[in-house]
Amino acid sequence: MSNSIPTVVLGGTGYVAGELLRLIAAHPQFELAGVMSDSQPGESVVRAFPHLTHAYADERFKSQGEIEQILARAPQSAVFSAAPHGVSAALIDSLLTSAARAGTKPRVVDISADFRYSSAGAYEAVYKHPHGAPQRLSEFTCAVPEHLKKLETPHVGHPGCFATATLLASVPLLALGLTAPTLFVAGITGSTGSGRKPVDGTHHPLRHSDLYAYNALAHRHAPEIAACARAASGVEADFAFVPHSGPFARGIHVTVQAALKSSQSTADVLAALRDFYSGAPFVRVSEQAPRIKDVATSNYAHLSAVANGRTVAVMCVVDNLNKGAAGGAVQWMNRMFGLAETTGLTTAAPGWT
């Protein structure tokens, strides 16, 4: 592959890592150079991801030392971290330090929560443990690509799946001054959003044919959503967030409700959303209620809205593993390397997942 960009995936055995590997296999310029797994170095990648056999039949998980050697040899490289929060920051710091000694400059998109806050104190208040690399926080920006025209830092912290859907629905309302700064959010997520290790309450057989709320008004992603919304809109907003576990594997559906500052019709709000996202290739605004099956496995977000003159409800659906995680990360990395934002990401949803 000419002009290929050596690409590394950290935290290589989880669902998000598997989605990253799927997207990298189809990307015209990101070429996989290594997948790191501390728990399974030397093991076959397709043992963890049999559906990727055609792309990575001979690929094996690498150790941190092997990844350091890869980054030391490449003047520039792309690093995606799907390592868990509380682990990712220290790992990224170690790899960047090693690369700096070698005179190379990896670009990083972290999909964990470790670089979603601008201060260690804000992170520690939510996650209840010290940040793994507080000196690196100023090198990361956390935002969805649609809400930041110019990236000023070398690296990105991805906002995550619930945050992506909620921010896409709510930031236009705040930035355009359409609503009061108190927003009520109901979100439903698929079982892959809970990670690969089955535990009570998140294991898919327990979720099948069921629907229930959890951590109502106390979910740890609510402060992250508020911080990103403030950065994108300039408005200090309060998000009353009630997440739900849904009986499906992939996808997120959020409904954001708020009181309108002045009378607005449904047509008015839809027109405002279309104008706000006129330059966003992955956002579609429609009169029809969005459905998860129309975006599952894709990097697209579908939005709609209704208003009755007093209250507005904006609905958004995304795929939690793609637009909400791996796809959004690739979208960022495309921009970081000067590629078209859509490179490798325009495959449509299959529709019958």
Side-chain angles (χ1 to χ4, degrees):
M1 183 185 299
S2 61
N3 300 317
S4 62
I5 299 165
T7 302
V8 163
V9 175
L10 312 177
T13 58
Y15 288 139
V16 172
E19 187 72 355
L20 279 167
L21 292 173
R22 183 178 74 88
L23 293 174
I24 293 166
H27 197 283
Q29 288 191 259
F30 295 149
E31 184 173 23
L32 187 70
V35 190
M36 179 183 161
S37 171
D38 267 342
S39 62
Q40 300 182 38
E43 292 290 336
S44 171
V45 168
V46 299
R47 182 178 178 185
F49 305 111
H51 65 294
L52 299 177
T53 298
H54 70 287
Y56 301 114
D58 300 321
E59 189 70 33
R60 296 189 174 275
F61 290 115
K62 292 179 169 57
S63 67
Q64 180 173 339
E66 290 173 305
I67 296 296
E68 288 178 356
Q69 292 174 19
I70 291 170
L71 299 182
R73 291 193 297 265
Q76 286 195 312
S77 56
V79 177
F80 295 98
S81 179
H85 73 267
V87 173
S88 190
L91 175 58
I92 289 170
D93 177 49
S94 179
L95 293 176
L96 289 177
T97 299
S98 174
R101 286 197 298 266
T104 62
K105 294 183 178 180
R107 304 296 296 271
V108 178
V109 178
D110 180 39
I111 307 174
S112 83
D114 282 3
F115 291 100
R116 294 177 187 169
Y117 290 99
S118 59
S119 74
Y123 172 88
E124 292 163 10
V126 174
Y127 288 92
K128 310 303 180 187
H129 60 250
H131 193 274
Q135 74 281 6
R136 294 281 184 189
L137 287 170
S138 63
E139 300 175 19
F140 284 77
T141 297
C142 182
V144 294
E146 289 77 7
H147 295 158
L148 189 66
K149 290 184 178 180
K150 185 177 180 182
L151 181 65
E152 303 285 354
T153 58
H155 313 298
V156 166
H158 194 278
C161 50
F162 263 136
T164 294
T166 303
L167 290 165
L168 288 172
S170 60
V171 163
L173 302 178
L174 298 169
L176 299 173
L178 298 180
T179 67
T182 298
L183 301 100
F184 299 89
V185 184
I188 307 171
T189 183
S191 57
T192 53
S194 300
R196 192 162 189 169
K197 183 178 180 180
V199 296
D200 288 346
T202 64
H203 192 29
H204 192 77
L206 300 178
R207 297 167 69 135
H208 179 66
S209 299
D210 204 359
L211 179 69
Y212 52 90
Y214 65 99
N215 294 338
L217 304 183
H219 196 278
R220 66 190 182 192
H221 292 326
E224 298 169 7
I225 293 168
C228 286
R230 181 174 61 251
S233 70
V235 177
E236 187 76 49
D238 178 45
F239 288 82
F241 178 42
V242 182
H244 298 73
S245 291
F248 45 88
R250 296 181 70 133
I252 279 182
H253 184 294
V254 301
T255 301
V256 176
Q257 296 187 71
L260 288 161
K261 288 184 176 180
S262 61
S263 181
Q264 302 277 337
S265 68
T266 295
D268 292 333
V269 176
L270 288 172
L273 289 172
R274 287 193 182 99
D275 183 64
F276 192 86
Y277 287 120
S278 61
F282 292 111
V283 178
R284 302 284 185 268
V285 179
S286 171
E287 295 85 356
Q288 304 301 315
R291 295 175 177 237
I292 284 175
K293 283 202 174 190
D294 294 337
V295 299
T297 79
S298 82
N299 197 54
Y300 291 93
H302 287 189
L303 278 75
S304 189
V306 293
N308 61 8
R310 304 177 307 279
T311 303
V312 63
V314 180
M315 288 72 67
C316 177
V317 294
V318 302
D319 183 281
N320 58 297
L321 292 180
N322 199 310
K323 178 60 174 164
V330 171
Q331 188 179 346
W332 265 123
M333 198 68 82
N334 282 338
R335 285 179 57 178
M336 291 159 74
F337 278 94
L339 305 175
E341 197 163 327
T342 55
T343 305
L345 292 173
T346 57
T347 301
W352 297 281
T353 50

